[in-house]
Amino acid sequence: MPIGTVKFFNTDKGYGFIENEDGSGDSFVHITAVQAAGMQVLNKDQRISYELETGRNGKVSAINLEQA
């Protein structure tokens, strides 16, 4: 599982981005993945482990979030 740091998360808009530790870029994260992990919000600079999933629209998103 990749590990990254929350770069930005906007609870009003329901999405944010996680910066991957290995430098491979940012991963999109949606509020539904946060809630599915039993969390209410992601905080800036919070370390998270996650998996990547390609959705029906072809976009890659972080899922199965866990505190790292």
Side-chain angles (χ1 to χ4, degrees), residues 9 14 16 26-27 32 37 41 43-44 48 56 59 62-63 66 68:
F9 191 80
D26 297 343
S27 299
T32 55
V41 67
N43 298 309
K44 183 175 169 63
I48 298 288
R56 292 186 303 246
K59 294 184 179 182
I63 60 167
E66 293 180 14

Side-chain angles (χ1 to χ4, degrees), residues 3-65:
I3 295 178
T5 304
V6 176
K7 187 173 184 177
F8 157 85
F9 191 80
N10 185 315
T11 53
D12 294 331
K13 294 183 180 180
Y15 71 90
F17 293 92
I18 300 170
E19 184 176 11
N20 198 330
E21 265 186 3
D22 70 6
S24 63
D26 297 343
S27 299
F28 176 83
V29 61
H30 192 265
I31 188 69
T32 55
V34 175
Q35 292 170 339
M39 302 177 204
Q40 297 301 312
V41 67
L42 295 177
N43 298 309
K44 183 175 169 63
D45 297 326
Q46 182 178 358
R47 291 191 71 226
I48 298 288
S49 65
Y50 56 96
E51 295 178 12
L52 295 173
E53 174 183 75
T54 302
R56 292 186 303 246
N57 60 4
K59 294 184 179 182
V60 178
S61 300
I63 60 167
N64 298 329
L65 308 175

